[in-house]
Amino acid sequence: MWEYTDKVREHFLNPKNSGTIENADAVGEVGSLSCGDALRLFLKIDDEGRIEDAKFQTFGCASAIASSSVLTEMVKGMTIEEAEKVTNKDIADALGGLPKEKMHCSVMGQEALDDAIRCYRGLDVAPAPEGEIVCKCFGVTDLQIKKAVLENKLTTLEEVTNFTKAGGGCEDCHGRIKEIIDEVRFGAPDVKPLEVKPVKLTNIKRFQLVSQTIEEEIRPALHKDGGDIELVDIEGTVVIVSLRGSCVGCPSSNLTLKDFVERRLKETVEEAITVREA
Amino acid sequence: MRSVYLDNNATTMVAPEVREAILPLLESEYGNPSSMHGLGGSSGKLLSEARERVAAGLGCSPSEIIFTSCGTESDNTAIHSATESQPEKKHIITTRVEHPAVLNVAKHFERKGYDITLLSVDSEGRMDLDQLRKAIRPDTALVSVMYANNESGVISPIEEMVQITKERGVLFHTDAVQAIGKIPIDLKTLPVDYLALSGHKIHAPKGVGVLFLRRNTPFRPFMLGGHQELGRRGGTENIPGIVGLGMAMDLAGKHIGEENTRVRAMRDRLEKGLMATIPDAMVNGVGAERLPNTLSIAFKYIEGEAMLLLLDQFGICASSGSACTSGSLEPSHVLRAMGVPFTYAHGSLRFSLSVYNTDEDIDLVLKELPPIISRLREFSPFRRGDEGLDWVEDH
Ligand code: FES
C-alpha cells in the first residue's frame, strides 16, 4: 500500500470540484489509455483573464484524483499568467508530497493545465511533443526527458520513470534514457556548439582536438563527481586514457568511457575514435 | 472495524491449528535438527513428520520433498536444475501468464543466450495444447507451466500438457502455488518432474516452501551449503515454518471439499451479485475452468487502486489487476495476455476467498462496492455512450 499524506487521502476521499463546467472557457485534456490515467480540466475564466472556477474529471489512481482536486483548488482565483507558472512540483507540494512512484500524476495535472491554457488562447491543438521519441511504450521524447531531468534534478532512470513514465513498460528505452541523463548531467552535447570536423585529421590536429576536449569538457564534468581522467596515448584513432579519482573501480566506469568520453570525442574530433583504458 | 479478507491469493492468515503447532517451537523446542543432542533430535523428528505430511498431501514419497524458503526459491531451483543438468539444451518453454518467479527466471536465461518460447492464452486465459506440441524441440530443456493462475484463477490443462511433454522426453515443472488446497493434486498419477508450492498461500506462515523433485529427476542444488535436505538445499531448516506447513497441508487436504462447495458458492454469489448490480462489468476468464475461490472482475471506466482504497475504508481487502507503479504502469501481464481491453483492465479487481470467509463478508462487498463504482464513475471522464476516448492516446 502506498504511503499517502493526509492531504492526498483527504483530496482523494473528498475530492473538491469534481465534475464538469457547462460552456467552459477552456478545457484541458491529457491521458493515455495504456497508462491508465486521464484528466479533463474545465476552466471558467472572467473578462480580466482570472480563473473563476475549475472542475475536473479523472480516470486514475488515488494520486491522480488528489492531484486533480488540489490543482483545481490552487488555480481558482489565479490569472492565466499566474496559472501558467504552476509546475508539477507545486501540485505535489500542495499535497504534502506524493510517493516518488506517483510523481507523474502531478505532471499530468500540469499538462492538463497547459492544455487548457492553450485552448483558452485559441491554440487548441496541442503541438506534438518535439524531439525524438525515446520511449515508445509511453510516447515520451528526449526533450521531455531532458526537461524533467533538468527541472527536477533527476539522476537515475528510476526517477525519470517516476516523473515521465518513460521506461515504465518494455524497458527497451532504458539505455537511451540513461544516456540522456548523462548528457544533461555532464552537459556534453550542449556545452558548446559542435565544431566543424575537418575531413581528414593529421595526427597532430587529432591530438590537439582530443586533449582540448578532454581538458575543457570531459575532465571538468568528471571532477563534479569526484573523478578524473588522463590522456595516456593516442594510437591512430584509438585514444588511451586512464581513469582517476572516484572513477576508479566505479561500477559504471565502463559507461562513462563509452557513453560519455567516447561519444563526446566522436562528436568533437572524429567519428572513428574509440576509447580504451590503459 | 472487522477486516474482511478477500485477498487469499496474495497471502493467507495462519490457521489457528498451525499457530498452535508452531508456538512451542518458538518457546522451548528450538533445537537444530543437525545437533547431536536431545533438543536437536526432537526437532529432527518434527522435521521428518512434517515431510511425511507434505508427501502424503501430494501423493509422493517423503524423500521427494525438499523444503525451501518459498515458492519462488522452489521455482528457481527447478529451472536451474533442468538447465544446468542438460547444458547442451538451450530452449525453455513457459507461458505468458506465469508468476514472475518463473517469468523473470526465463528472462534471465534469455539474457544468457537461451531461446524462450512463451505460450500464449486466449481471451479466457486458456492455453492451447497444439501450441505446446509445436513448441517442443530437440533442445528443449524444460516446460514450465503454472497449475492455476494467481490472478484469473484459470486452471491449466496440466495433465494433457505433461503427457505431451513426457512423450517427447522433456522435463516438466509446474508452479502449483495457487492450486494446492483448492484442487486435488495427486503426484502418483500426475507425472510432473518438479512442482513448487508455498506455505503462506495455504495458511502456514511466510518463509517456507516446497520443491517436489521426482525420484531420478536431474537436480542441481541452488543453495549450496551444509548437508541439509540430503545435500540438496543447504541452510538450517526453518523448523517452525516447516512444521506449520506440514500442519497446513493436512488442513488443506481436509478443506478441499469445502473449497469446492461452500467457498465456490460464496464466490459465485459474489460474482453474480456484482454482475447483476454493476453495469459495464466483466468477469475475466469466465469461460474457462477456474479455481473455486478466485474472482477476477473488471469494471469499465475506472481504475483499480482507487476502488481498493475506497473498499479499504470498509475493511475490505482485495487486490487490483492494475498496478499503477512506476515499474509497471500497465495492467497486469496476465490481463494483457488475455487481451482484456485497457478500459476494463485498469479497473480490474481480484477477490480471492478462503474457508475462513463467511456469507457476511460477501454481503458487505455486495453492499459497499456498487456505490463505490458509481461514485468513481461519476468523476471519470469516460462514460457510457460517450466514451470520450478520442483525445486519449492509445499507445
Ligand atoms: S519503450 Fe520505453 S518502456 Fe518500452
Side-chain angles (χ1 to χ4, degrees):
Chain A
M1 170 95 64
W2 301 107
E3 292 266 342
Y4 283 136
T5 63
D6 290 344
K7 262 270 166 70
V8 175
R9 289 193 150 263
E10 172 56 25
H11 274 279
F12 165 61
L13 294 174
N14 303 300
K16 312 277 185 312
N17 312 311
S18 71
T20 59
I21 298 179
E22 289 268 333
N23 305 321
D25 297 299
V27 181
E29 296 174 327
V30 283
S32 138
L33 258 194
S34 58
C35 307
D37 46 30
L39 164 58
R40 199 182 246 160
L41 178 70
F42 300 86
L43 301 180
K44 189 94 203 142
I45 298 163
D46 70 13
D47 296 341
E48 264 90 71
R50 202 169 276 281
I51 299 172
E52 271 178 338
D53 197 9
K55 284 196 185 298
F56 76 90
Q57 289 179 314
T58 293
F59 166 81
C61 61
S63 313
I65 292 169
S67 296
S68 315
S69 166
V70 86
L71 170 69
T72 53
E73 289 281 276
M74 280 166 71
V75 298
K76 270 203 241 176
M78 280 185 180
T79 62
I80 285 295
E81 287 69 31
E82 285 162 345
E84 213 169 9
K85 297 199 186 88
V86 171
T87 65
N88 76 289
K89 198 167 169 304
D90 298 333
I91 297 171
D93 288 349
L95 290 169
L98 279 170
K100 62 183 182 357
E101 295 84 353
K102 298 281 190 175
M103 285 303 287
H104 61 260
C105 294
S106 64
V107 175
M108 181 169 77
Q110 189 204 347
E111 286 175 357
L113 181 60
D114 284 351
D115 193 52
I117 295 173
R118 257 197 316 273
C119 160
Y120 173 70
R121 293 186 170 145
L123 311 164
D124 47 8
V125 185
E130 283 173 41
E132 139 223 5
I133 298 257
V134 170
C135 177
K136 293 190 191 66
C137 290
F138 296 109
V140 187
T141 67
D142 59 342
L143 295 184
Q144 289 171 304
I145 295 172
K146 271 185 199 157
K147 180 168 178 266
V149 171
L150 264 175
E151 283 179 1
N152 300 288
K153 302 196 174 42
L154 311 182
T155 56
T156 64
L157 166 71
E158 199 192 342
E159 286 172 342
V160 169
T161 308
N162 293 337
F163 276 77
T164 65
K165 297 181 188 168
C170 72
E171 305 185 358
D172 277 359
C173 55
H174 282 189
R176 180 69 188 116
I177 295 177
K178 285 187 193 145
E179 276 176 20
I180 295 177
I181 299 171
D182 284 349
E183 278 169 25
V184 176
R185 284 185 64 206
F186 296 132
D190 305 322
V191 175
K192 55 178 172 176
L194 296 186
E195 285 183 33
V196 182
K197 295 178 214 167
V199 183
K200 181 127 176 49
L201 290 177
T202 60
N203 282 345
I204 294 194
K205 184 70 188 157
R206 182 181 300 120
F207 189 85
Q208 277 176 346
L209 282 175
V210 167
S211 43
Q212 189 188 341
T213 309
I214 288 183
E215 280 312 311
E216 290 176 7
E217 266 184 45
I218 296 176
R219 292 193 68 202
L222 295 181
H223 279 166
K224 279 191 216 149
D225 290 328
D228 203 353
I229 193 169
E230 228 169 77
L231 177 59
V232 177
D233 200 1
I234 300 184
E235 290 172 1
T237 53
V238 181
V239 176
I240 302 164
V241 297
S242 159
L243 288 174
R244 298 279 151 87
S246 65
C247 294
V248 178
C250 165
S252 52
S253 65
N254 215 9
L255 267 183
T256 311
L257 276 188
K258 287 288 161 198
D259 284 7
F260 175 47
V261 181
E262 184 174 291
R263 188 159 39 77
R264 193 59 192 141
L265 289 175
K266 277 177 188 295
E267 285 163 358
T268 53
V269 185
E270 198 177 8
E271 185 54 41
I273 295 266
T274 54
V275 172
R276 179 153 75 68
E277 227 188 324
Chain B
M1 184 171 47
R2 190 172 70 97
S3 161
V4 172
Y5 189 75
L6 296 166
D7 200 11
N8 287 278
N9 287 10
T11 195
T12 57
M13 73 167 217
V14 173
E17 296 89 334
V18 171
R19 198 170 52 226
E20 287 284 289
I22 291 175
L23 275 177
L25 308 176
L26 301 174
E27 286 164 356
S28 49
E29 295 172 40
Y30 48 80
N32 183 335
S34 302
S35 300
M36 288 294 152
H37 46 59
L39 213 51
S42 53
S43 279
K45 198 158 155 279
L46 290 170
L47 175 61
S48 56
E49 276 169 16
R51 199 183 304 279
E52 276 162 28
R53 285 183 148 156
V54 174
L58 292 175
C60 65
S61 132
S63 64
E64 292 173 311
I65 295 299
I66 301 172
F67 287 112
T68 64
S69 66
C70 57
T72 297
E73 186 193 322
S74 303
D75 286 328
N76 272 261
T77 309
I79 301 172
H80 276 263
S81 283
T83 48
E84 285 201 12
S85 61
Q86 311 168 90
E88 69 294 351
K89 296 191 173 175
K90 296 272 189 243
H91 178 226
I92 298 171
I93 300 174
T94 182
T95 78
R96 286 190 189 285
V97 295
E98 292 302 304
H99 188 273
V102 168
L103 220 40
N104 284 336
V105 184
K107 275 192 199 151
H108 167 79
F109 276 98
E110 190 170 33
R111 285 191 289 270
K112 288 172 62 169
Y114 277 71
D115 256 6
I116 309 295
T117 301
L118 295 177
L119 304 177
S120 41
V121 296
D122 69 7
S123 59
E124 304 295 334
R126 288 175 298 218
M127 288 168 195
D128 174 0
L129 297 175
D130 272 338
Q131 224 192 351
L132 172 64
R133 274 191 200 97
K134 285 190 199 120
I136 298 177
R137 314 192 311 212
D139 67 336
T140 303
L142 179 73
V143 174
S144 175
V145 179
M146 70 194 335
Y147 211 120
N149 189 270
N150 48 315
E151 292 188 36
S152 63
V154 173
I155 299 170
S156 311
I158 289 292
E159 282 164 34
E160 293 88 333
M161 294 182 113
V162 182
Q163 206 190 334
I164 294 168
T165 308
K166 292 280 111 187
E167 278 165 12
R168 307 279 290 272
V170 174
L171 293 171
F172 193 96
H173 163 57
T174 185
D175 173 341
V177 165
Q178 289 298 340
I180 298 288
K182 295 165 198 159
I183 40 181
I185 293 179
D186 184 0
L187 293 172
K188 280 194 284 296
T189 51
L190 184 76
V192 298
D193 298 290
Y194 311 94
L195 174 144
L197 70 89
S198 168
H200 76 105
K201 309 280 187 180
I202 56 167
H203 305 287
K206 292 164 189 63
V208 63
V210 163
L211 172 64
F212 158 76
L213 171 72
R214 189 171 294 281
R215 186 163 298 133
N216 297 328
T217 299
F219 184 76
R220 295 290 181 276
F222 189 58
M223 292 270 288
L224 300 172
H227 55 269
Q228 293 90 350
E229 301 296 296
L230 302 174
R232 298 175 301 188
R233 197 236 184 220
T236 300
E237 296 88 347
N238 165 12
I239 298 296
I242 289 172
V243 169
L245 174 56
M247 175 63 76
M249 270 308 269
D250 270 4
L251 290 173
K254 288 193 191 119
H255 286 156
I256 210 153
E258 191 181 349
E259 284 276 355
N260 285 283
T261 50
R262 190 176 71 85
V263 173
R264 185 185 290 275
M266 285 192 293
R267 190 275 311 267
D268 289 347
R269 189 161 75 84
L270 178 63
E271 181 172 320
K272 286 203 186 81
L274 294 178
M275 288 302 288
T277 45
I278 303 175
D280 297 308
M282 77 179 203
V283 175
N284 299 316
V286 69
E289 202 193 334
R290 286 179 293 152
L291 292 174
N293 79 320
T294 308
L295 168 62
S296 168
I297 187 165
F299 305 102
K300 210 173 175 183
Y301 310 123
I302 46 177
E303 194 268 349
E305 184 204 276
M307 284 188 270
L308 286 184
L309 288 180
L310 292 173
L311 280 172
D312 193 52
Q313 299 279 101
F314 300 100
I316 300 169
C317 311
S319 65
S320 162
S322 167
C324 179
T325 66
S326 66
S328 54
L329 290 154
E330 300 197 338
S332 88
H333 68 287
V334 176
L335 300 180
R336 288 299 306 277
M338 292 166 71
V340 176
F342 276 118
T343 37
Y344 275 103
H346 282 293
S348 278
L349 287 186
R350 180 188 68 189
F351 296 101
S352 45
L353 287 59
S354 82
V355 291
Y356 298 101
N357 287 118
T358 62
D359 280 326
E360 288 75 61
D361 295 348
I362 304 303
D363 292 339
L364 190 72
V365 181
L366 288 174
K367 173 165 165 261
E368 302 300 350
L369 185 55
I372 288 177
I373 306 266
S374 350
R375 189 174 149 214
L376 288 173
R377 278 183 179 166
E378 234 157 66
F379 53 81
S380 169
F382 311 144
R383 53 203 61 233
R384 244 190 169 171
D386 158 33
E387 308 238 309
L389 296 177
D390 49 324
W391 50 277
V392 174
E393 293 167 49
D394 190 0
H395 297 303

